[in-house]
Amino acid sequence: MTDRSDLPDALAAAFLSGAWTETALRRRAREALAPPPRTPLPWLGPLVARVLDGYPRPPHDRPRELRAYVAGALDALRVWPRPHARRFFLPPARMADRRPWPGLPTLDTSGDLAAFLDVEPGQLAWLADVRSRERTADDRRLRHYTYAWIARPGAPVRLLEQPKARLKSIQRRLLRELLVEIPAHDAAHGFVPGRSVAGHAAAHAGAATVLRFDLEDFFVSLPAGRIYGILRRAGYPEAVAHLLTGLTTNAVPPGAWADIPVPDDPRLRRAHGLLGRRLATPHLPQGAPTSPLLANLCAFTLDRRLAGLAARLGATYTRYADDLVLSGDRRLARGATRLTETVAAIAASEGLRLNARKTAVMPAAGRQQVTGIVVNAHPNVARDEYDRLKAILHNAARHGPESQNRDHVPDFRGHLRGRVAWVASLNPSRGAKLRDRFDAIAWER
């Protein structure tokens, strides 16, 4: 005999175990009750009517949600005393019948996900950290991530959370075969196939005013709950969405954070503590291959709202990772203070915060720079950057390339070739001049 509190679970399971019609739901509900009811149940008809009204299609991907709905309906109908459940159906788990992105792979169960990733179910649970061991493990061998930190002047450290080989391989597969099927907002230019930092900058070329904003601790500020919500919206059942969320989020163990020195500057200690608390809860790890794209998806509503704001102002909005840019006519400069407050309020309502130190208002009279690209007239490399690279190439041709490799770059030839190609992509004439200088360098064979 079961506890009476099991009734919502038993009814929800019974409802999901067959045809989604009034007659079938009532029949399976009666089969779930103990003892087998011989008399009419006056509340059963209204309960089934409420379920069909709330769910025109069976919510196979949302059994817990249906259970809560049934429990609320039983309370509203004042079903008391409640009968015991005598039989528990085992409904099949399935993705949602209607999906917003039909190109996603069909993964109805955790077993389907394990097969999709070519791992054993136990290994999948381990890598997804279903028992939350990552956040408590002191032994580095039990962790799925390695940790490194970078000091930043006047700011808290940047913690790099780098997944180990097996998890990174799985994350890359999820990125290639699953996550790319979920579209980012049109304003997002970072980590989107066919878009780039150059396109992000080009959208603002020639504007009278350019406003640039920076999101503080972007990845860390995106909690696992948002990732779960995206995957549930994609149609994945609760169990699959939980595992996918575990594979793509992380919580930093206290021991790893304790290895990082607390700043001496009292002004930075509070920010250091806040960052530590954020890192201790599941979030997008900076260092996982899936994080940039998932961050774009988490920022979809932010992008939509800021794009709408820009449209009302006759302006243009784009985002590259944590770099937000609005451009338009001179009115943007005159209303920059109020506009900054509005952007900050929108970001805050999305759980994000602007870094006030990096907010910049750039009129056409000065240098307008977006992600390192000058956009006053057209996208271009900054003159001082061009001159430095030209000098390096000149000296490398005269004195040998090793004389200029002061940072001991392993593939210095490839490094310089890439820098020349970057300039050429923005300014072909300058790129041609640099390419001639590059070709004059005598490289050792």
Side-chain angles (χ1 to χ4, degrees):
M1 186 66 69
T2 59
D3 187 88
R4 295 176 192 270
S5 62
D6 291 331
L7 183 62
D9 291 293
L11 290 175
F15 290 154
L16 291 172
S17 295
W20 198 253
T21 64
E22 179 181 0
T23 300
L25 294 183
R26 293 181 67 159
R27 175 178 55 77
R28 290 195 300 275
R30 292 178 70 87
E31 291 176 4
L33 300 180
R38 301 179 183 277
T39 58
L41 300 173
W43 51 267
L44 183 55
L47 173 65
V48 169
R50 289 184 182 223
V51 169
L52 290 173
D53 182 59
Y55 296 92
R57 289 176 298 277
H60 291 294
D61 61 319
R62 294 167 285 166
R64 291 193 304 172
E65 179 183 307
L66 179 61
R67 187 265 179 209
Y69 187 89
V70 169
L74 290 171
D75 289 340
L77 293 169
R78 299 183 180 180
V79 179
W80 190 259
R82 293 184 178 178
H84 286 285
R86 74 182 179 99
R87 178 181 178 188
F88 275 82
F89 289 77
L90 294 176
R94 289 210 311 261
M95 287 187 70
D97 293 332
R98 293 188 179 181
R99 310 171 199 173
W101 308 296
L104 288 167
T106 298
L107 303 170
D108 293 326
T109 67
S110 57
D112 292 338
L113 178 59
F116 174 72
L117 296 174
D118 296 322
V119 297
E120 295 296 324
Q123 187 180 25
L124 174 62
W126 167 251
L127 291 169
D129 197 28
V130 296
R131 296 187 179 182
S132 302
R133 289 177 173 172
E134 176 77 22
R135 69 187 71 180
T136 58
D138 291 326
D139 189 337
R140 287 175 170 82
R141 294 172 297 179
L142 299 178
R143 298 175 183 171
H144 298 313
Y145 289 81
T146 61
Y147 301 96
W149 56 278
I150 301 172
R152 296 186 293 173
V157 300
R158 174 175 284 116
L159 185 70
L160 301 180
E161 304 163 68
Q162 300 160 324
K164 294 180 180 178
R166 185 68 179 119
L167 180 57
K168 180 180 284 188
S169 174
I170 285 176
Q171 290 173 341
R172 284 175 173 161
R173 184 165 186 179
L174 290 174
L175 178 64
R176 292 192 310 267
E177 301 181 27
L178 191 154
L179 295 176
V180 293
E181 298 293 337
I182 307 177
H185 193 276
D186 291 342
H189 283 257
F191 322 109
V192 178
R195 305 179 204 171
S196 67
V197 65
H200 170 57
H204 307 283
T209 307
V210 177
L211 277 75
R212 188 179 68 229
F213 309 96
D214 179 82
L215 294 171
E216 187 174 86
D217 298 328
F218 184 38
F219 287 175
V220 178
S221 300
L222 299 173
R226 287 199 179 188
I227 311 305
Y228 178 77
I230 291 168
L231 295 166
R232 291 288 294 111
R233 174 153 166 40
Y236 285 112
E238 292 162 345
V240 175
H242 273 298
L243 288 169
L244 288 170
T245 301
L247 291 170
T248 54
T249 60
N250 182 47
V252 177
W257 182 245
D259 292 338
I260 301 173
V262 178
D264 294 329
D265 188 342
R267 295 172 298 178
L268 294 180
R269 287 178 187 168
R270 182 176 178 276
H272 180 87
L274 175 61
L275 177 60
R277 289 192 292 274
R278 286 177 171 172
L279 289 167
T281 58
H283 60 275
L284 282 184
Q286 187 162 352
T290 46
S291 290
L293 193 150
L294 283 170
N296 276 345
L297 302 181
C298 288
F300 189 94
T301 304
L302 172 73
D303 290 336
R304 184 177 61 187
R305 295 175 67 183
L306 291 180
L309 173 65
R312 288 197 299 273
L313 298 173
T316 300
Y317 163 75
T318 63
R319 179 181 57 82
Y320 190 91
D322 56 0
D323 185 77
L324 317 176
V325 179
L326 283 158
S327 64
D329 57 27
R330 292 183 178 85
R331 290 176 298 173
L332 288 187
R334 293 195 293 268
T337 299
R338 184 175 180 181
L339 181 56
T340 299
E341 293 172 351
T342 301
V343 172
I346 292 173
S349 68
E350 296 295 326
L352 301 165
R353 184 165 57 182
L354 295 186
N355 187 338
R357 296 183 300 108
K358 294 187 177 181
T359 298
V361 181
M362 298 172 285
R367 176 187 285 182
Q368 296 172 320
Q369 203 161 3
V370 174
T371 54
I373 300 173
V374 177
V375 296
N376 287 70
H378 55 81
N380 202 353
V381 66
R383 180 73 200 197
D384 52 352
E385 181 182 343
Y386 169 74
D387 289 341
R388 283 195 300 271
L389 180 55
K390 183 171 67 173
I392 290 172
L393 295 172
H394 174 78
N395 291 331
R398 289 192 61 186
H399 307 294
E402 286 307 312
S403 68
Q404 301 303 301
N405 190 9
R406 298 184 177 91
D407 294 328
H408 307 290
V409 177
D411 182 11
F412 191 54
R413 184 176 187 174
H415 170 75
L416 288 182
R417 183 187 290 115
R419 291 180 64 179
V420 170
W422 169 244
V423 174
S425 69
L426 299 174
N427 190 320
S429 62
R430 282 185 174 181
K433 294 176 182 178
L434 294 178
R435 195 174 291 111
D436 290 340
R437 291 177 181 270
F438 177 86
D439 291 340
I441 300 173
W443 297 96
E444 294 183 5
R445 295 188 181 275

